[in-house]
């Protein structure tokens, strides 16, 4: 069985302490992890800027008779 390519990519982010503290507090307020909060912030910024990639529609499976 072939291994599927992961859709999630990891990267290192350098951020100042005060900003990180604010993100961690915001994440706690929203009951999210810090990582989840960062993902949400980035996704919202992309959506508002109309730069969020459109999701590919999956083709319905063809049933052969």
């Amino acid at each position: 069985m072939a291994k599927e390519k992961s859709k999630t990519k990891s990267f290192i982010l350098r951020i100042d302490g005060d900003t990180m503290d604010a993100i961690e507090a915001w994440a706690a307020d929203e009951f999210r992890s810090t990582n989840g909060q960062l993902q949400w912030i980035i996704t919202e910024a992309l959506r508002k800027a109309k730069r969020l990639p459109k999701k590919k529609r999956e083709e319905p499976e063809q049933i052969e008779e």
Side-chain angles (χ1 to χ4, degrees):
M1 189 180 278
K3 186 177 179 181
E4 287 189 32
K5 185 178 178 182
S6 174
K7 294 183 180 194
T8 303
K9 295 184 179 184
S10 299
F11 69 98
I12 296 173
L13 175 65
R14 290 183 177 84
I15 193 165
D16 68 85
D18 290 338
T19 302
M20 191 63 184
D21 291 344
I23 292 169
E24 289 170 341
W26 190 8
D29 291 345
E30 299 284 329
F31 303 105
R32 290 189 181 109
S33 66
T34 302
N35 187 68
Q37 189 69 20
L38 287 166
Q39 288 177 321
W40 180 83
I41 291 167
I42 292 166
T43 301
E44 282 299 296
L46 288 168
R47 185 185 61 77
K48 286 179 183 178
K50 298 185 187 319
R51 293 186 171 265
L52 191 61
K54 291 189 170 100
K55 292 183 180 180
K56 294 178 184 175
R57 280 178 38 184
E58 292 184 21
E59 295 291 325
E61 290 184 26
Q62 301 274 334
I63 300 174
E64 294 182 30
E65 295 181 24

PDB file of all heavy atoms in Angstrom, residues 26 32 38-55:
ATOM      1  N   TRP A  26      -4.991  34.044  23.837  1.00  0.00           N
ATOM      2  CA  TRP A  26      -6.115  34.005  22.920  1.00  0.00           C
ATOM      3  C   TRP A  26      -6.530  32.557  22.676  1.00  0.00           C
ATOM      4  O   TRP A  26      -7.724  32.231  22.687  1.00  0.00           O
ATOM      5  CB  TRP A  26      -5.731  34.704  21.621  1.00  0.00           C
ATOM      6  CG  TRP A  26      -6.837  34.955  20.646  1.00  0.00           C
ATOM      7  CD1 TRP A  26      -8.185  34.775  20.823  1.00  0.00           C
ATOM      8  CD2 TRP A  26      -6.694  35.453  19.317  1.00  0.00           C
ATOM      9  NE1 TRP A  26      -8.882  35.123  19.694  1.00  0.00           N
ATOM     10  CE2 TRP A  26      -7.984  35.554  18.745  1.00  0.00           C
ATOM     11  CE3 TRP A  26      -5.595  35.841  18.556  1.00  0.00           C
ATOM     12  CZ2 TRP A  26      -8.193  36.001  17.454  1.00  0.00           C
ATOM     13  CZ3 TRP A  26      -5.810  36.292  17.263  1.00  0.00           C
ATOM     14  CH2 TRP A  26      -7.102  36.375  16.719  1.00  0.00           C
ATOM     15  N   ARG A  32      -8.445  26.416  22.243  1.00  0.00           N
ATOM     16  CA  ARG A  32      -7.621  25.841  21.172  1.00  0.00           C
ATOM     17  C   ARG A  32      -6.201  25.685  21.678  1.00  0.00           C
ATOM     18  O   ARG A  32      -5.774  26.364  22.604  1.00  0.00           O
ATOM     19  CB  ARG A  32      -7.575  26.764  19.950  1.00  0.00           C
ATOM     20  CG  ARG A  32      -8.840  26.892  19.174  1.00  0.00           C
ATOM     21  CD  ARG A  32      -8.565  27.666  17.869  1.00  0.00           C
ATOM     22  NE  ARG A  32      -9.762  27.825  17.094  1.00  0.00           N
ATOM     23  CZ  ARG A  32     -10.409  28.969  16.929  1.00  0.00           C
ATOM     24  NH1 ARG A  32      -9.969  30.078  17.481  1.00  0.00           N
ATOM     25  NH2 ARG A  32     -11.494  29.026  16.200  1.00  0.00           N
ATOM     26  N   LEU A  38      -2.794  29.490  15.805  1.00  0.00           N
ATOM     27  CA  LEU A  38      -1.979  30.042  14.714  1.00  0.00           C
ATOM     28  C   LEU A  38      -2.535  29.613  13.363  1.00  0.00           C
ATOM     29  O   LEU A  38      -2.607  30.421  12.429  1.00  0.00           O
ATOM     30  CB  LEU A  38      -0.519  29.620  14.868  1.00  0.00           C
ATOM     31  CG  LEU A  38       0.239  30.322  15.987  1.00  0.00           C
ATOM     32  CD1 LEU A  38       1.547  29.610  16.274  1.00  0.00           C
ATOM     33  CD2 LEU A  38       0.483  31.776  15.633  1.00  0.00           C
ATOM     34  N   GLN A  39      -2.946  28.346  13.244  1.00  0.00           N
ATOM     35  CA  GLN A  39      -3.535  27.882  11.985  1.00  0.00           C
ATOM     36  C   GLN A  39      -4.809  28.663  11.672  1.00  0.00           C
ATOM     37  O   GLN A  39      -5.031  29.063  10.530  1.00  0.00           O
ATOM     38  CB  GLN A  39      -3.848  26.384  12.059  1.00  0.00           C
ATOM     39  CG  GLN A  39      -2.609  25.523  12.023  1.00  0.00           C
ATOM     40  CD  GLN A  39      -2.941  24.047  12.171  1.00  0.00           C
ATOM     41  OE1 GLN A  39      -3.821  23.668  12.941  1.00  0.00           O
ATOM     42  NE2 GLN A  39      -2.235  23.225  11.431  1.00  0.00           N
ATOM     43  N   TRP A  40      -5.639  28.900  12.691  1.00  0.00           N
ATOM     44  CA  TRP A  40      -6.883  29.632  12.491  1.00  0.00           C
ATOM     45  C   TRP A  40      -6.595  31.075  12.068  1.00  0.00           C
ATOM     46  O   TRP A  40      -7.227  31.585  11.138  1.00  0.00           O
ATOM     47  CB  TRP A  40      -7.714  29.607  13.779  1.00  0.00           C
ATOM     48  CG  TRP A  40      -8.999  30.338  13.647  1.00  0.00           C
ATOM     49  CD1 TRP A  40     -10.162  29.859  13.114  1.00  0.00           C
ATOM     50  CD2 TRP A  40      -9.248  31.694  14.022  1.00  0.00           C
ATOM     51  NE1 TRP A  40     -11.123  30.851  13.153  1.00  0.00           N
ATOM     52  CE2 TRP A  40     -10.592  31.983  13.711  1.00  0.00           C
ATOM     53  CE3 TRP A  40      -8.473  32.684  14.605  1.00  0.00           C
ATOM     54  CZ2 TRP A  40     -11.168  33.224  13.957  1.00  0.00           C
ATOM     55  CZ3 TRP A  40      -9.052  33.922  14.847  1.00  0.00           C
ATOM     56  CH2 TRP A  40     -10.390  34.176  14.526  1.00  0.00           C
ATOM     57  N   ILE A  41      -5.638  31.728  12.735  1.00  0.00           N
ATOM     58  CA  ILE A  41      -5.282  33.116  12.403  1.00  0.00           C
ATOM     59  C   ILE A  41      -4.818  33.213  10.950  1.00  0.00           C
ATOM     60  O   ILE A  41      -5.246  34.105  10.204  1.00  0.00           O
ATOM     61  CB  ILE A  41      -4.184  33.640  13.358  1.00  0.00           C
ATOM     62  CG1 ILE A  41      -4.744  33.818  14.772  1.00  0.00           C
ATOM     63  CG2 ILE A  41      -3.585  34.953  12.843  1.00  0.00           C
ATOM     64  CD1 ILE A  41      -3.672  34.034  15.835  1.00  0.00           C
ATOM     65  N   ILE A  42      -3.966  32.297  10.550  1.00  0.00           N
ATOM     66  CA  ILE A  42      -3.438  32.315   9.174  1.00  0.00           C
ATOM     67  C   ILE A  42      -4.558  32.058   8.168  1.00  0.00           C
ATOM     68  O   ILE A  42      -4.667  32.758   7.150  1.00  0.00           O
ATOM     69  CB  ILE A  42      -2.295  31.296   9.023  1.00  0.00           C
ATOM     70  CG1 ILE A  42      -1.091  31.757   9.855  1.00  0.00           C
ATOM     71  CG2 ILE A  42      -1.922  31.107   7.553  1.00  0.00           C
ATOM     72  CD1 ILE A  42      -0.030  30.686  10.052  1.00  0.00           C
ATOM     73  N   THR A  43      -5.410  31.075   8.442  1.00  0.00           N
ATOM     74  CA  THR A  43      -6.518  30.759   7.538  1.00  0.00           C
ATOM     75  C   THR A  43      -7.467  31.938   7.402  1.00  0.00           C
ATOM     76  O   THR A  43      -7.905  32.282   6.295  1.00  0.00           O
ATOM     77  CB  THR A  43      -7.280  29.514   8.028  1.00  0.00           C
ATOM     78  OG1 THR A  43      -6.362  28.411   8.078  1.00  0.00           O
ATOM     79  CG2 THR A  43      -8.437  29.158   7.108  1.00  0.00           C
ATOM     80  N   GLU A  44      -7.793  32.591   8.521  1.00  0.00           N
ATOM     81  CA  GLU A  44      -8.690  33.756   8.479  1.00  0.00           C
ATOM     82  C   GLU A  44      -8.068  34.908   7.690  1.00  0.00           C
ATOM     83  O   GLU A  44      -8.760  35.574   6.914  1.00  0.00           O
ATOM     84  CB  GLU A  44      -9.031  34.216   9.897  1.00  0.00           C
ATOM     85  CG  GLU A  44     -10.067  33.349  10.565  1.00  0.00           C
ATOM     86  CD  GLU A  44     -11.400  33.340   9.834  1.00  0.00           C
ATOM     87  OE1 GLU A  44     -12.046  34.404   9.739  1.00  0.00           O
ATOM     88  OE2 GLU A  44     -11.780  32.267   9.332  1.00  0.00           O
ATOM     89  N   ALA A  45      -6.786  35.133   7.875  1.00  0.00           N
ATOM     90  CA  ALA A  45      -6.116  36.205   7.121  1.00  0.00           C
ATOM     91  C   ALA A  45      -6.146  35.908   5.628  1.00  0.00           C
ATOM     92  O   ALA A  45      -6.410  36.806   4.813  1.00  0.00           O
ATOM     93  CB  ALA A  45      -4.677  36.374   7.611  1.00  0.00           C
ATOM     94  N   LEU A  46      -5.896  34.663   5.248  1.00  0.00           N
ATOM     95  CA  LEU A  46      -5.944  34.280   3.835  1.00  0.00           C
ATOM     96  C   LEU A  46      -7.360  34.410   3.270  1.00  0.00           C
ATOM     97  O   LEU A  46      -7.548  34.883   2.148  1.00  0.00           O
ATOM     98  CB  LEU A  46      -5.447  32.841   3.656  1.00  0.00           C
ATOM     99  CG  LEU A  46      -3.946  32.625   3.843  1.00  0.00           C
ATOM    100  CD1 LEU A  46      -3.634  31.140   3.934  1.00  0.00           C
ATOM    101  CD2 LEU A  46      -3.169  33.275   2.714  1.00  0.00           C
ATOM    102  N   ARG A  47      -8.350  34.007   4.058  1.00  0.00           N
ATOM    103  CA  ARG A  47      -9.739  34.092   3.612  1.00  0.00           C
ATOM    104  C   ARG A  47     -10.150  35.551   3.392  1.00  0.00           C
ATOM    105  O   ARG A  47     -10.718  35.895   2.358  1.00  0.00           O
ATOM    106  CB  ARG A  47     -10.661  33.437   4.636  1.00  0.00           C
ATOM    107  CG  ARG A  47     -12.119  33.369   4.200  1.00  0.00           C
ATOM    108  CD  ARG A  47     -13.026  32.828   5.296  1.00  0.00           C
ATOM    109  NE  ARG A  47     -13.030  33.659   6.494  1.00  0.00           N
ATOM    110  CZ  ARG A  47     -13.686  34.810   6.624  1.00  0.00           C
ATOM    111  NH1 ARG A  47     -14.386  35.279   5.621  1.00  0.00           N
ATOM    112  NH2 ARG A  47     -13.638  35.498   7.754  1.00  0.00           N
ATOM    113  N   LYS A  48      -9.821  36.413   4.351  1.00  0.00           N
ATOM    114  CA  LYS A  48     -10.188  37.829   4.243  1.00  0.00           C
ATOM    115  C   LYS A  48      -9.496  38.512   3.069  1.00  0.00           C
ATOM    116  O   LYS A  48     -10.043  39.423   2.460  1.00  0.00           O
ATOM    117  CB  LYS A  48      -9.867  38.555   5.540  1.00  0.00           C
ATOM    118  CG  LYS A  48     -10.840  38.208   6.646  1.00  0.00           C
ATOM    119  CD  LYS A  48     -10.480  38.914   7.940  1.00  0.00           C
ATOM    120  CE  LYS A  48     -11.439  38.496   9.054  1.00  0.00           C
ATOM    121  NZ  LYS A  48     -11.093  39.133  10.330  1.00  0.00           N
ATOM    122  N   ALA A  49      -8.287  38.070   2.753  1.00  0.00           N
ATOM    123  CA  ALA A  49      -7.546  38.637   1.623  1.00  0.00           C
ATOM    124  C   ALA A  49      -7.908  37.965   0.300  1.00  0.00           C
ATOM    125  O   ALA A  49      -7.335  38.285  -0.736  1.00  0.00           O
ATOM    126  CB  ALA A  49      -6.040  38.506   1.874  1.00  0.00           C
ATOM    127  N   LYS A  50      -8.863  37.030   0.362  1.00  0.00           N
ATOM    128  CA  LYS A  50      -9.285  36.253  -0.812  1.00  0.00           C
ATOM    129  C   LYS A  50      -8.099  35.542  -1.465  1.00  0.00           C
ATOM    130  O   LYS A  50      -7.976  35.486  -2.687  1.00  0.00           O
ATOM    131  CB  LYS A  50     -10.023  37.137  -1.810  1.00  0.00           C
ATOM    132  CG  LYS A  50     -11.301  37.726  -1.249  1.00  0.00           C
ATOM    133  CD  LYS A  50     -12.061  38.487  -2.297  1.00  0.00           C
ATOM    134  CE  LYS A  50     -13.233  39.230  -1.852  1.00  0.00           C
ATOM    135  NZ  LYS A  50     -14.188  38.935  -0.996  1.00  0.00           N
ATOM    136  N   ARG A  51      -7.239  35.002  -0.634  1.00  0.00           N
ATOM    137  CA  ARG A  51      -6.070  34.272  -1.117  1.00  0.00           C
ATOM    138  C   ARG A  51      -6.078  32.817  -0.661  1.00  0.00           C
ATOM    139  O   ARG A  51      -5.111  32.101  -0.864  1.00  0.00           O
ATOM    140  CB  ARG A  51      -4.787  34.945  -0.647  1.00  0.00           C
ATOM    141  CG  ARG A  51      -4.583  36.298  -1.279  1.00  0.00           C
ATOM    142  CD  ARG A  51      -3.240  36.867  -0.899  1.00  0.00           C
ATOM    143  NE  ARG A  51      -2.947  38.045  -1.651  1.00  0.00           N
ATOM    144  CZ  ARG A  51      -2.233  38.049  -2.786  1.00  0.00           C
ATOM    145  NH1 ARG A  51      -1.774  36.939  -3.281  1.00  0.00           N
ATOM    146  NH2 ARG A  51      -1.986  39.178  -3.407  1.00  0.00           N
ATOM    147  N   LEU A  52      -7.173  32.401  -0.046  1.00  0.00           N
ATOM    148  CA  LEU A  52      -7.275  31.026   0.411  1.00  0.00           C
ATOM    149  C   LEU A  52      -7.491  30.132  -0.802  1.00  0.00           C
ATOM    150  O   LEU A  52      -8.411  30.377  -1.594  1.00  0.00           O
ATOM    151  CB  LEU A  52      -8.449  30.889   1.384  1.00  0.00           C
ATOM    152  CG  LEU A  52      -8.549  29.599   2.157  1.00  0.00           C
ATOM    153  CD1 LEU A  52      -7.326  29.385   3.037  1.00  0.00           C
ATOM    154  CD2 LEU A  52      -9.797  29.585   3.003  1.00  0.00           C
ATOM    155  N   PRO A  53      -6.644  29.128  -0.984  1.00  0.00           N
ATOM    156  CA  PRO A  53      -6.826  28.244  -2.151  1.00  0.00           C
ATOM    157  C   PRO A  53      -8.189  27.561  -2.095  1.00  0.00           C
ATOM    158  O   PRO A  53      -8.651  27.178  -1.030  1.00  0.00           O
ATOM    159  CB  PRO A  53      -5.705  27.216  -2.005  1.00  0.00           C
ATOM    160  CG  PRO A  53      -4.766  27.769  -1.004  1.00  0.00           C
ATOM    161  CD  PRO A  53      -5.534  28.735  -0.158  1.00  0.00           C
ATOM    162  N   LYS A  54      -8.813  27.461  -3.255  1.00  0.00           N
ATOM    163  CA  LYS A  54     -10.098  26.781  -3.322  1.00  0.00           C
ATOM    164  C   LYS A  54      -9.881  25.283  -3.160  1.00  0.00           C
ATOM    165  O   LYS A  54      -8.918  24.723  -3.686  1.00  0.00           O
ATOM    166  CB  LYS A  54     -10.766  27.068  -4.655  1.00  0.00           C
ATOM    167  CG  LYS A  54     -11.208  28.504  -4.785  1.00  0.00           C
ATOM    168  CD  LYS A  54     -12.063  28.698  -6.016  1.00  0.00           C
ATOM    169  CE  LYS A  54     -12.687  30.067  -5.973  1.00  0.00           C
ATOM    170  NZ  LYS A  54     -12.026  31.040  -6.765  1.00  0.00           N
ATOM    171  N   LYS A  55     -10.781  24.659  -2.420  1.00  0.00           N
ATOM    172  CA  LYS A  55     -10.685  23.216  -2.225  1.00  0.00           C
ATOM    173  C   LYS A  55     -11.061  22.518  -3.519  1.00  0.00           C
ATOM    174  O   LYS A  55     -12.000  22.911  -4.201  1.00  0.00           O
ATOM    175  CB  LYS A  55     -11.602  22.760  -1.098  1.00  0.00           C
ATOM    176  CG  LYS A  55     -11.152  23.266   0.248  1.00  0.00           C
ATOM    177  CD  LYS A  55     -12.035  22.726   1.345  1.00  0.00           C
ATOM    178  CE  LYS A  55     -11.544  23.253   2.680  1.00  0.00           C
ATOM    179  NZ  LYS A  55     -12.354  22.761   3.788  1.00  0.00           N
TER     180      LYS A  55
END
